[in-house]
Amino acid sequence: MQVQKIPIAVRLLGFEPGEAARMSAMLCAVPRAGPSYACLHEDSLQEPDLYLVDGENPAALLRLTSMRGMPLALQVGGLDHGLARLARPFDAATLQVTLAHLVAERRRALELLCARGEPPLPERRRRQRLADDSLAVDGPALRQLPRPDQVLIVDKEGAFRDHLARLVGERRLAIAWTDSASTAVRLCDETQVGVAMINTSTPGIDPYALCSAIKAQEGAGRTAVVFLVGKAFPYDTARAHSAGVRGLLDKPVADRSLVAILARLTSMPA
């Protein structure tokens, strides 16, 4: 019988590239039962479930402890800083057991927050933008009239757009869709697009070129371009940064992560 895995997103902080690669390999060596782990790419916008931090890297420790709301974290090596700690050297089995305890701790903490009626993640929003009702766009690719900070989905079909609209609510955030690069560029130029999400597997579209075209327009600083990336897509960090990509999301994206990211990047009301 196949055992269902619980996916856990992990972000590494402060590790040298060689050790980071070894840590990622250890996390992939999951036991038959228990959670499965995935190390988030450096450019990922997803909120991690837990952090692994190099306890001998002062800058990484400072970055962790300065976060709003102390996240769940495992310190690897170094002196005692009041965090759960794993001493070097260690093997994959020891890492797995330690993380399993942390995951159980996280689950209990979330259950407690839920019982209190508190949100599981701190919400970070930008300032509310001024509305401009004079803008209007026609065309079948745009599913609704634009409003400030709308989201534009570039995908081969509108299913993801429809799911996102159901998830956040039409009154909270306007969401448009197109499968055309030229239409996407025009919409970002003519309307107030706060976030453009590009599915990198959309046929006939070079996501890096599309991002460059969007960001080359006057006023494009207001638009955060996000890539929706599958495992088969060879994400190029240098090209993405050169094109102006804000970050990426690994598909499939959990609903909780989508809501948190949109709240962070747009003026979506609570």
Side-chain angles (χ1 to χ4, degrees), residues 5-268:
K5 296 290 186 180
I6 302 172
I8 302 296
V10 179
R11 187 175 296 283
L12 305 179
L13 291 180
F15 295 97
E16 294 295 329
E19 185 172 20
R22 290 192 295 274
M23 296 280 288
S24 181
M26 286 185 182
L27 290 171
C28 290
V30 296
R32 184 173 182 274
S36 63
Y37 302 95
C39 286
L40 297 176
H41 190 281
E42 184 179 350
D43 287 356
S44 176
L45 297 175
Q46 182 176 338
E47 293 285 353
D49 297 300
L50 63 89
Y51 289 85
L52 265 63
V53 59
D54 186 350
E56 297 176 6
N57 186 323
L61 287 168
L62 179 60
R63 178 182 171 186
L64 179 71
T65 56
S66 63
M67 291 179 183
R68 178 184 174 183
M70 188 61 184
L72 187 62
L74 175 63
Q75 175 187 325
V76 177
L79 302 176
D80 185 4
H81 292 281
L83 301 171
R85 187 159 55 107
L86 180 62
R88 292 185 174 100
F90 57 88
D91 56 19
T94 303
L95 178 62
Q96 295 288 345
V97 170
T98 305
L99 290 178
H101 287 302
L102 283 177
V103 169
E105 178 183 335
R106 173 183 179 272
R107 183 175 63 250
R108 289 192 296 270
L110 290 177
E111 289 173 351
L112 180 59
L113 287 174
C114 183
R116 293 175 177 173
E118 300 177 13
L121 290 172
E123 294 184 355
R124 290 170 286 181
R125 294 186 176 88
R126 299 180 302 179
R127 293 179 300 172
Q128 183 78 23
R129 292 182 175 179
L130 297 177
D132 185 351
D133 296 328
S134 64
L135 296 176
V137 176
D138 55 9
L142 186 60
R143 294 291 184 87
Q144 65 180 70
L145 294 177
R147 297 198 299 267
D149 257 359
Q150 75 169 336
V151 175
L152 174 63
I153 305 298
V154 182
D155 202 352
K156 61 182 177 181
E157 56 186 25
F160 179 67
R161 180 267 166 205
D162 295 340
H163 172 74
L164 200 59
R166 288 191 297 269
L167 188 64
V168 303
E170 298 282 2
R171 295 184 179 180
R172 297 175 68 197
L173 194 62
I175 305 173
W177 163 79
T178 183
D179 60 357
S180 163
S182 60
T183 300
V185 173
R186 178 173 64 85
L187 292 176
C188 289
D189 181 45
E190 297 176 356
T191 70
Q192 296 187 45
V193 175
V195 180
M197 290 188 169
I198 303 174
N199 187 342
T200 56
S201 64
T202 306
I205 288 182
D206 179 339
Y208 301 102
L210 176 53
C211 180
S212 294
I214 291 173
K215 301 302 288 185
Q217 299 179 120
E218 184 179 357
R222 69 172 183 260
T223 303
V225 179
V226 177
F227 280 4
L228 300 172
V229 176
K231 292 182 178 179
F233 181 75
Y235 181 80
D236 188 322
T237 302
R239 286 189 67 191
H241 290 180
S242 177
V245 177
R246 176 68 63 88
L248 64 88
L249 292 172
D250 292 298
K251 299 185 295 185
V253 188
D255 290 349
R256 177 176 62 86
S257 294
L258 282 172
V259 173
I261 289 158
L262 290 177
R264 187 194 320 165
L265 297 180
T266 72
S267 57
M268 181 175 68

